[in-house]
Amino acid sequence: MLTCDVFFASKNKKGEEVCGDSIKVKRESEKIVVSISDGLGSGIKASILSTLTSTIASTMLIKGLPVADVFRTILATLPICRVRKISYSNLCSVVCDFKNNTCTVVEYEFPVVMLFKGERRVFPEKLELEIEGKKCSYGSFNLKLELYSFWQRMDSLRREWERIFFHWVSVWKT
């Protein structure tokens, strides 16, 4: 049987007491949902809205509700920034159903999600939904007994990991 281990870390913006990014993991015996949300800006408001978004998505998706219903609920819940006219939070959810050997990637206003099969990048087919004038996308593919890794490119996280890695390398070399 396929399984999935999930590891994550987050870092508060300098001077902030909370992180504006949220990761929620929900598990059942044959299914796992990982939802990542980034709140607009930083601080308490970003943290609350990203937590709300990732919690709604992971809870509804683990229950097997349709993607359209999940997005409708999130869009009805999230406020819209008056200046930028965008939601205060974005979302990416990955649903691995081990019983049916399927994986679904759900995205809303999210940076590019990259999927790799071994060393090769693959591009699963995506469907777009338009709900209340907002575009959401999702795609499903079959899981096989091969290693898949998910990457999402959020520049702030990437820069932080690079800083930590290069610091570690410089310490290791001395």
Side-chain angles (χ1 to χ4, degrees):
M1 180 173 143
L2 285 171
T3 61
C4 182
D5 291 325
V6 178
F7 302 93
F8 62 88
S10 61
K11 181 167 175 39
N12 300 355
K13 187 175 178 180
K14 187 175 182 178
E16 297 288 346
E17 292 186 27
V18 295
C19 184
D21 305 331
S22 295
I23 300 171
K24 295 292 176 205
V25 179
K26 300 268 185 181
R27 295 176 190 268
E28 288 185 351
S29 61
E30 296 179 336
K31 187 188 284 187
I32 186 169
V33 176
V34 180
S35 293
I36 304 168
S37 182
D38 181 10
L40 183 64
S42 60
I44 296 293
K45 188 173 187 179
S47 178
I48 290 169
L49 292 171
S50 68
T51 300
L52 180 66
T53 302
S54 59
T55 301
I56 289 170
S58 57
T59 301
M60 292 179 77
L61 289 168
I62 198 83
K63 301 280 186 209
L65 291 164
V67 172
D69 290 350
V70 174
F71 279 116
R72 233 178 246 105
T73 302
I74 290 170
L75 291 173
T77 306
L78 285 178
I80 302 294
C81 176
R82 284 180 255 194
V83 176
R84 298 183 199 169
K85 306 287 187 231
I86 59 173
S87 295
Y88 272 101
S89 187
N90 62 23
L91 172 71
C92 177
S93 293
V94 176
V95 181
C96 293
D97 183 338
F98 303 118
K99 182 178 180 183
N100 298 314
N101 286 333
T102 60
C103 181
T104 303
V105 179
V106 180
E107 300 170 87
Y108 171 63
E109 293 186 356
F110 201 76
V112 175
V113 172
M114 296 191 302
L115 171 67
F116 290 86
K117 184 176 179 180
E119 297 283 322
R120 186 175 51 94
R121 185 172 177 197
V122 293
F123 301 88
E125 188 177 322
K126 288 185 182 180
L127 302 171
E128 274 200 5
L129 294 172
E130 188 167 323
I131 299 171
E132 298 179 24
K134 300 286 185 180
K135 290 186 180 177
C136 315
S137 65
Y138 67 99
S140 293
F141 55 92
N142 289 327
L143 289 172
K144 295 183 178 156
L145 294 175
E146 298 174 69
L147 179 63
Y148 283 87
S149 62
F150 294 91
W151 261 46
Q152 65 84 8
R153 287 184 169 248
M154 295 172 62
D155 283 340
S156 60
L157 290 176
R158 182 180 51 80
R159 280 194 302 267
E160 182 61 22
W161 281 109
E162 284 176 353
R163 186 189 67 73
I164 291 168
F165 175 76
F166 289 121
H167 174 72
W168 178 80
V169 168
S170 67
V171 169
W172 182 71
K173 283 184 177 180
T174 57

